[in-house]
Amino acid sequence: MSAFPAPSHVPVLVDAVVHALAIAQGETVVDGTFGAGGYTRAMLSAGAGRVIGFDRDPDAIANGPALVPDAIEDGRLILVEERFSQMDRALEERGLAPVDAIALDIGISSMQIDQAERGFSFQNDGPLDMRMAQSGMTAADFVNEADEAEIARVLKDYGEEPRARSIARAIVAARPIERTGQLATVVRKAAGFRPGQKSDPATRTFQAIRIHVNGELDELEDGLAAAERSLRPGGRLAVVTFHSLEDRIVKRFFRERSGSTPGGSRHLPEVKSDRAPTFERVAKPVSPSESEMSRNPRARSARLRSAMRTAAPFWGEAR
């Protein structure tokens, strides 16, 4: 097997993810969030016989062959432009299910953040876009068309923003807003931001709008169900999250599916489930080391949760 050069953006907790996946020589593994190919490279180096890389971002799929050329040429890497919530269907259509291990790195990639024209960050001014799949409603569409109450709800629910109403009111008053710099300025003024403060209030607003535009929390819930269906008995699932909303969903999923807590869903009250657990050996959450956080500030809020699939029937379909 040829060695794989280091990617320009090293993925967070990559060694811990590979350890959690416990890849045996020749196994079939899913990288549900291909991005810049960092996890895929590590999976192949750990002995995976084949990796199926999913990404809804067409740029990630288009750039993939150049990032891992040897694996593309010899068939060890298959790239699929699709949401990871659809992995069960896509794997079945290709005759690749079930698989031995699945990794999910939730949220935005460093490659997307670094491209000002994608509109994910206010560090460099760009069009207010934020679409991972580069199709559908943009962030500008949302801030310019949604009413004040809806904007406030999104900022509160997805950004945990305490000044949601004030910021929503300011956004509506400042319309039209077309650039990331414009939105950041409006938010900072509404939040009473002063230069030198420890945190920029625009961070929470940008996170909230990005999550809403891309349907990220529903995608995560559906992706976990799709992984449950796609794994063979004994297969491993590893999920890296970057904020409490995501981590809460993953924590609840593993607790429910391992029989550690009463079940439930986003639509129904929690009730005691009599279904057999679909996961076991739920590992304690792993956080990055001080050295990794110093090398990569993005890793600071990361958390890895992992578990092993049982032979029990899956509980639910992905949407």
PDB file of all heavy atoms in Angstrom, residues 74-87:
ATOM      1  N   ASP A  74      -7.166   2.649  -8.055  1.00  0.00           N
ATOM      2  CA  ASP A  74      -7.240   1.199  -7.815  1.00  0.00           C
ATOM      3  C   ASP A  74      -8.559   0.766  -7.172  1.00  0.00           C
ATOM      4  O   ASP A  74      -8.707  -0.385  -6.755  1.00  0.00           O
ATOM      5  CB  ASP A  74      -6.052   0.712  -6.977  1.00  0.00           C
ATOM      6  CG  ASP A  74      -5.978   1.342  -5.582  1.00  0.00           C
ATOM      7  OD1 ASP A  74      -7.018   1.832  -5.088  1.00  0.00           O
ATOM      8  OD2 ASP A  74      -4.891   1.352  -4.994  1.00  0.00           O
ATOM      9  N   GLY A  75      -9.526   1.687  -7.088  1.00  0.00           N
ATOM     10  CA  GLY A  75     -10.861   1.315  -6.630  1.00  0.00           C
ATOM     11  C   GLY A  75     -11.032   1.231  -5.133  1.00  0.00           C
ATOM     12  O   GLY A  75     -12.087   0.807  -4.655  1.00  0.00           O
ATOM     13  N   ARG A  76     -10.053   1.681  -4.371  1.00  0.00           N
ATOM     14  CA  ARG A  76     -10.184   1.640  -2.912  1.00  0.00           C
ATOM     15  C   ARG A  76     -10.966   2.815  -2.366  1.00  0.00           C
ATOM     16  O   ARG A  76     -11.346   2.816  -1.191  1.00  0.00           O
ATOM     17  CB  ARG A  76      -8.801   1.572  -2.253  1.00  0.00           C
ATOM     18  CG  ARG A  76      -8.143   0.199  -2.360  1.00  0.00           C
ATOM     19  CD  ARG A  76      -6.782   0.196  -1.694  1.00  0.00           C
ATOM     20  NE  ARG A  76      -5.868   1.086  -2.393  1.00  0.00           N
ATOM     21  CZ  ARG A  76      -4.953   1.842  -1.784  1.00  0.00           C
ATOM     22  NH1 ARG A  76      -4.872   1.846  -0.459  1.00  0.00           N
ATOM     23  NH2 ARG A  76      -4.140   2.604  -2.482  1.00  0.00           N
ATOM     24  N   LEU A  77     -11.227   3.822  -3.201  1.00  0.00           N
ATOM     25  CA  LEU A  77     -12.037   4.959  -2.788  1.00  0.00           C
ATOM     26  C   LEU A  77     -13.141   5.194  -3.809  1.00  0.00           C
ATOM     27  O   LEU A  77     -12.877   5.338  -5.004  1.00  0.00           O
ATOM     28  CB  LEU A  77     -11.187   6.223  -2.654  1.00  0.00           C
ATOM     29  CG  LEU A  77     -11.956   7.532  -2.384  1.00  0.00           C
ATOM     30  CD1 LEU A  77     -12.754   7.448  -1.087  1.00  0.00           C
ATOM     31  CD2 LEU A  77     -10.997   8.728  -2.344  1.00  0.00           C
ATOM     32  N   ILE A  78     -14.383   5.222  -3.302  1.00  0.00           N
ATOM     33  CA  ILE A  78     -15.543   5.546  -4.119  1.00  0.00           C
ATOM     34  C   ILE A  78     -16.157   6.819  -3.555  1.00  0.00           C
ATOM     35  O   ILE A  78     -16.485   6.870  -2.364  1.00  0.00           O
ATOM     36  CB  ILE A  78     -16.576   4.404  -4.081  1.00  0.00           C
ATOM     37  CG1 ILE A  78     -15.972   3.122  -4.650  1.00  0.00           C
ATOM     38  CG2 ILE A  78     -17.839   4.792  -4.858  1.00  0.00           C
ATOM     39  CD1 ILE A  78     -16.840   1.893  -4.436  1.00  0.00           C
ATOM     40  N   LEU A  79     -16.295   7.843  -4.376  1.00  0.00           N
ATOM     41  CA  LEU A  79     -16.843   9.118  -3.929  1.00  0.00           C
ATOM     42  C   LEU A  79     -18.293   9.256  -4.387  1.00  0.00           C
ATOM     43  O   LEU A  79     -18.618   8.961  -5.537  1.00  0.00           O
ATOM     44  CB  LEU A  79     -16.016  10.282  -4.483  1.00  0.00           C
ATOM     45  CG  LEU A  79     -14.588  10.397  -3.937  1.00  0.00           C
ATOM     46  CD1 LEU A  79     -13.824  11.496  -4.666  1.00  0.00           C
ATOM     47  CD2 LEU A  79     -14.596  10.663  -2.439  1.00  0.00           C
ATOM     48  N   VAL A  80     -19.147   9.704  -3.461  1.00  0.00           N
ATOM     49  CA  VAL A  80     -20.575   9.824  -3.741  1.00  0.00           C
ATOM     50  C   VAL A  80     -21.033  11.226  -3.330  1.00  0.00           C
ATOM     51  O   VAL A  80     -20.910  11.602  -2.163  1.00  0.00           O
ATOM     52  CB  VAL A  80     -21.397   8.770  -2.964  1.00  0.00           C
ATOM     53  CG1 VAL A  80     -22.881   8.887  -3.328  1.00  0.00           C
ATOM     54  CG2 VAL A  80     -20.883   7.361  -3.238  1.00  0.00           C
ATOM     55  N   GLU A  81     -21.562  11.984  -4.298  1.00  0.00           N
ATOM     56  CA  GLU A  81     -22.108  13.308  -3.986  1.00  0.00           C
ATOM     57  C   GLU A  81     -23.517  13.125  -3.443  1.00  0.00           C
ATOM     58  O   GLU A  81     -24.486  13.000  -4.185  1.00  0.00           O
ATOM     59  CB  GLU A  81     -22.138  14.196  -5.227  1.00  0.00           C
ATOM     60  CG  GLU A  81     -22.587  15.624  -4.921  1.00  0.00           C
ATOM     61  CD  GLU A  81     -22.644  16.501  -6.152  1.00  0.00           C
ATOM     62  OE1 GLU A  81     -21.860  16.270  -7.098  1.00  0.00           O
ATOM     63  OE2 GLU A  81     -23.484  17.432  -6.172  1.00  0.00           O
ATOM     64  N   GLU A  82     -23.612  13.086  -2.118  1.00  0.00           N
ATOM     65  CA  GLU A  82     -24.893  12.802  -1.466  1.00  0.00           C
ATOM     66  C   GLU A  82     -24.787  13.171   0.008  1.00  0.00           C
ATOM     67  O   GLU A  82     -23.710  13.165   0.597  1.00  0.00           O
ATOM     68  CB  GLU A  82     -25.231  11.314  -1.608  1.00  0.00           C
ATOM     69  CG  GLU A  82     -26.567  10.872  -1.048  1.00  0.00           C
ATOM     70  CD  GLU A  82     -27.751  11.588  -1.687  1.00  0.00           C
ATOM     71  OE1 GLU A  82     -28.081  12.690  -1.181  1.00  0.00           O
ATOM     72  OE2 GLU A  82     -28.296  11.066  -2.665  1.00  0.00           O
ATOM     73  N   ARG A  83     -25.916  13.502   0.609  1.00  0.00           N
ATOM     74  CA  ARG A  83     -25.965  13.716   2.049  1.00  0.00           C
ATOM     75  C   ARG A  83     -25.685  12.395   2.761  1.00  0.00           C
ATOM     76  O   ARG A  83     -26.127  11.337   2.314  1.00  0.00           O
ATOM     77  CB  ARG A  83     -27.353  14.214   2.455  1.00  0.00           C
ATOM     78  CG  ARG A  83     -27.741  15.564   1.894  1.00  0.00           C
ATOM     79  CD  ARG A  83     -29.210  15.835   2.150  1.00  0.00           C
ATOM     80  NE  ARG A  83     -29.624  17.126   1.641  1.00  0.00           N
ATOM     81  CZ  ARG A  83     -29.713  18.234   2.372  1.00  0.00           C
ATOM     82  NH1 ARG A  83     -29.444  18.178   3.673  1.00  0.00           N
ATOM     83  NH2 ARG A  83     -30.071  19.374   1.843  1.00  0.00           N
ATOM     84  N   PHE A  84     -25.024  12.465   3.905  1.00  0.00           N
ATOM     85  CA  PHE A  84     -24.745  11.211   4.625  1.00  0.00           C
ATOM     86  C   PHE A  84     -26.016  10.594   5.186  1.00  0.00           C
ATOM     87  O   PHE A  84     -26.049   9.400   5.494  1.00  0.00           O
ATOM     88  CB  PHE A  84     -23.666  11.394   5.699  1.00  0.00           C
ATOM     89  CG  PHE A  84     -23.988  12.369   6.802  1.00  0.00           C
ATOM     90  CD1 PHE A  84     -24.871  12.036   7.820  1.00  0.00           C
ATOM     91  CD2 PHE A  84     -23.366  13.609   6.851  1.00  0.00           C
ATOM     92  CE1 PHE A  84     -25.152  12.922   8.859  1.00  0.00           C
ATOM     93  CE2 PHE A  84     -23.628  14.513   7.880  1.00  0.00           C
ATOM     94  CZ  PHE A  84     -24.530  14.168   8.883  1.00  0.00           C
ATOM     95  N   SER A  85     -27.073  11.380   5.303  1.00  0.00           N
ATOM     96  CA  SER A  85     -28.342  10.818   5.768  1.00  0.00           C
ATOM     97  C   SER A  85     -28.929   9.839   4.762  1.00  0.00           C
ATOM     98  O   SER A  85     -29.841   9.074   5.098  1.00  0.00           O
ATOM     99  CB  SER A  85     -29.354  11.936   6.021  1.00  0.00           C
ATOM    100  OG  SER A  85     -29.667  12.623   4.830  1.00  0.00           O
ATOM    101  N   GLN A  86     -28.410   9.844   3.549  1.00  0.00           N
ATOM    102  CA  GLN A  86     -28.884   8.945   2.501  1.00  0.00           C
ATOM    103  C   GLN A  86     -27.910   7.801   2.242  1.00  0.00           C
ATOM    104  O   GLN A  86     -28.023   7.100   1.236  1.00  0.00           O
ATOM    105  CB  GLN A  86     -29.115   9.735   1.210  1.00  0.00           C
ATOM    106  CG  GLN A  86     -30.111  10.873   1.360  1.00  0.00           C
ATOM    107  CD  GLN A  86     -31.471  10.402   1.823  1.00  0.00           C
ATOM    108  OE1 GLN A  86     -32.032   9.459   1.268  1.00  0.00           O
ATOM    109  NE2 GLN A  86     -32.012  11.038   2.856  1.00  0.00           N
ATOM    110  N   MET A  87     -26.956   7.592   3.133  1.00  0.00           N
ATOM    111  CA  MET A  87     -25.934   6.587   2.888  1.00  0.00           C
ATOM    112  C   MET A  87     -26.499   5.171   2.783  1.00  0.00           C
ATOM    113  O   MET A  87     -26.013   4.355   1.994  1.00  0.00           O
ATOM    114  CB  MET A  87     -24.854   6.634   3.974  1.00  0.00           C
ATOM    115  CG  MET A  87     -25.271   6.065   5.332  1.00  0.00           C
ATOM    116  SD  MET A  87     -23.906   5.952   6.505  1.00  0.00           S
ATOM    117  CE  MET A  87     -23.778   7.632   7.068  1.00  0.00           C
TER     118      MET A  87
END
